[in-house]
Amino acid sequence: MSIQLPDDPYDAVVGLRTVRKYAPRPVSDEDRDAILEAGRWTGSAKNRQDWLFLVVDEPAVQAQLADCGRFSGPLRDARLVIVPIRLPGGYEFDIGRVSQNMMLAAFARGVGSCPVTMHDEACAAAVLGVPADHGVRYALCFGYPDDAAEKAARAGRGYGGRKPLDELIRHNRF
Ligand SMILES: Cc1cc2nc3c(=O)[nH]c(=O)nc-3n(C[C@H](O)[C@H](O)[C@H](O)COP(=O)(O)O)c2cc1C
């Protein structure tokens, strides 16, 4: 495990990058619970907390889930998967917030993460036994980083950059 932990929380917010290659050791119960606790404390519209956190750590289930997305390789290798389930009437915005908070909390504890899209949501619902009126669009992969494998996988392309701020900002009117 070798995430460079920033001293300043701001640096964690701007420094969070996806990790798709994970060391063999499982995520500790303490780190798993800290990640889930960060999810629990996320703010939501009207504080409705319209979510459930489905914890998946059976490789066979992870492999089935991986067949439900187009870019879901990390799901097979993850040491821990948390699927944020959106309850009926809940907002996808809240699921985004809860996901980011869990990934930031993981990062703060040296755990790498990657969100994965369940392009075939019905498939994910069937694999996990989630009722049809619940949302299961994303799964979050976690594990301590395997730096060498991550570097090799990123060879030639490195980390994605970001658009410059002056392309993103408008003042007062579009
Ligand atoms: C809504 C959303 C869906 C994503 N789906 C996938 C996915 O299906 N598979 C994957 O490997 N990464 C997925 N990602 C991760 C993005 O590819 C990643 O955040 C982006 O490339 C920036 O990566 P970086 O922060 O490491 O630069 C997803 C990210 C978001 C926010």
Side-chain angles (χ1 to χ4, degrees):
M1 182 281 277
S2 67
I3 282 180
Q4 287 297 316
L5 295 184
D7 294 329
D8 184 339
Y10 179 82
D11 293 336
V13 172
V14 298
L16 177 67
R17 298 279 86 84
T18 49
V19 174
R20 297 186 175 89
K21 300 292 177 188
Y22 310 104
R25 72 185 169 107
V27 174
S28 72
D29 290 354
E30 194 190 4
D31 285 341
R32 178 201 60 205
D33 292 349
I35 292 166
L36 291 165
E37 185 69 358
R40 184 170 84 88
W41 278 103
T42 302
S44 57
K46 297 180 182 165
N47 198 26
R48 285 173 47 155
Q49 305 163 66
D50 280 329
W51 49 50
L52 287 175
F53 310 140
L54 207 160
V55 178
V56 180
D57 54 10
E58 281 183 24
V61 179
Q62 291 176 219
Q64 283 179 289
L65 209 51
D67 288 337
C68 305
R70 290 206 294 272
F71 311 106
S72 46
L75 274 173
R76 295 179 199 280
D77 304 329
R79 303 302 162 214
L80 168 70
V81 175
I82 299 175
V83 182
I85 307 287
R86 181 171 48 77
L87 300 186
Y91 296 104
E92 207 71 89
F93 184 88
D94 290 343
I95 294 302
R97 288 193 73 192
V98 88
S99 299
Q100 183 76 357
N101 272 4
M102 287 199 272
M103 291 187 287
L104 278 170
F107 183 53
R109 300 179 72 92
V111 179
S113 65
C114 180
V116 164
T117 307
M118 300 286 87
H119 295 94
D120 186 345
E121 213 172 324
C123 167
V127 167
L128 299 171
V130 174
D133 58 350
H134 289 47
V136 57
R137 182 67 176 165
Y138 303 103
L140 309 175
C141 302
F142 296 96
Y144 302 105
D146 178 338
D147 291 327
E150 187 73 31
K151 198 174 164 197
R154 289 178 182 273
R157 58 185 176 87
Y159 284 86
R162 296 294 189 267
K163 295 177 183 177
L165 207 50
D166 60 10
E167 262 186 40
L168 306 175
I169 309 292
R170 301 288 186 277
H171 286 282
N172 297 315
R173 296 280 188 278
F174 185 87

